[in-house]
């Protein structure tokens, strides 16, 4: 979706999405011209005054986890870090993060507390096991 965030000395607008394999995406650098072309019309629709006489000067990028679609839809991913077993990963919430973060966080925290009893309550559909 589109967003506009006013800051003290600038305006942050976004966002674009590019899909692909992780290694390919990691090799890419932000392309300000491409982002500007993709965003200009969409941001202009939100507020025509914002883009008038403005020149974008910076672009950031990040990697978002997009889990595969199953018959349940796109489910978030919960995993115990393969190297540091004290670290748990919770990702792939997408636009449902504000709705589900509490429930999923309770699954993770409960599993950490009950780890010694092997009573992991994370639904198997969400649990990602790393190859070791």
């Amino acid at each position: 979706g589109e967003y506009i965030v006013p800051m003290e000395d600038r305006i942050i607008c976004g966002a674009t999405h590019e899909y692909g394999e992780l290694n390919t995406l990691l090799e890419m650098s932000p392309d300000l011209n491409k982002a500007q072309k993709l965003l200009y019309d969409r941001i202009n629709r939100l507020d025509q005054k914002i883009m008038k006489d403005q020149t974008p000067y910076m672009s950031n990028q990040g990697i978002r986890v997009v889990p595969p679609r199953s018959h349940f839809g796109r489910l978030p991913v919960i995993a115990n870090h393969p190297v540091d077993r004290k670290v748990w990963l919770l990702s792939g919430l997408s636009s449902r993060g504000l709705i589900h973060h509490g429930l999923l966080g309770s699954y993770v925290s409960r599993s950490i507390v009950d780890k010694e009893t092997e009573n992991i309550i994370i639904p198997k559909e969400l649990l990602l096991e790393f190859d070791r």
Side-chain angles (χ1 to χ4, degrees):
E2 299 84 27
Y3 62 85
I4 301 170
V5 181
M7 304 296 283
E8 287 182 19
D9 61 341
R10 63 182 183 251
I11 299 171
I12 299 175
C13 302
T16 64
H17 300 88
E18 296 179 38
Y19 300 93
E21 293 299 316
L22 181 60
N23 290 335
T24 304
L25 294 172
L26 289 172
E27 292 173 5
M28 297 170 62
S29 59
D31 185 337
L32 185 57
N33 291 327
K34 184 175 183 178
Q36 183 178 2
K37 286 177 189 172
L38 289 170
L39 288 173
Y40 186 84
D41 288 338
R42 292 189 286 169
I43 299 300
N44 207 32
R45 262 195 326 259
L46 293 174
D47 189 334
Q48 294 179 359
K49 292 180 266 181
I50 287 181
M51 296 305 279
K52 184 179 179 185
D53 301 325
Q54 296 294 322
T55 303
Y57 66 92
M58 194 168 88
S59 179
N60 293 324
Q61 71 181 18
I63 302 291
R64 175 182 273 189
V65 173
V66 179
R69 185 175 294 281
S70 72
H71 61 283
F72 294 113
R74 290 194 191 278
L75 296 176
V77 175
I78 300 174
N80 194 199
H81 195 280
V83 177
D84 186 348
R85 303 301 289 163
K86 293 181 181 180
V87 174
W88 282 77
L89 310 168
L90 174 55
S91 190
L93 297 170
S94 189
S95 62
R96 296 178 186 93
L98 290 173
I99 299 170
H100 298 302
H101 73 280
L103 175 64
L104 298 176
S106 70
Y107 287 158
V108 173
S109 63
R110 189 63 196 256
S111 295
I112 291 169
V113 170
D114 291 348
K115 180 85 174 179
E116 296 169 5
T117 65
E118 298 297 320
N119 184 26
I120 296 177
I121 64 166
I122 298 170
K124 68 179 190 282
E125 294 86 8
L126 306 180
L127 191 60
L128 174 66
E129 296 285 344
F130 287 104
D131 295 330
R132 296 188 188 162

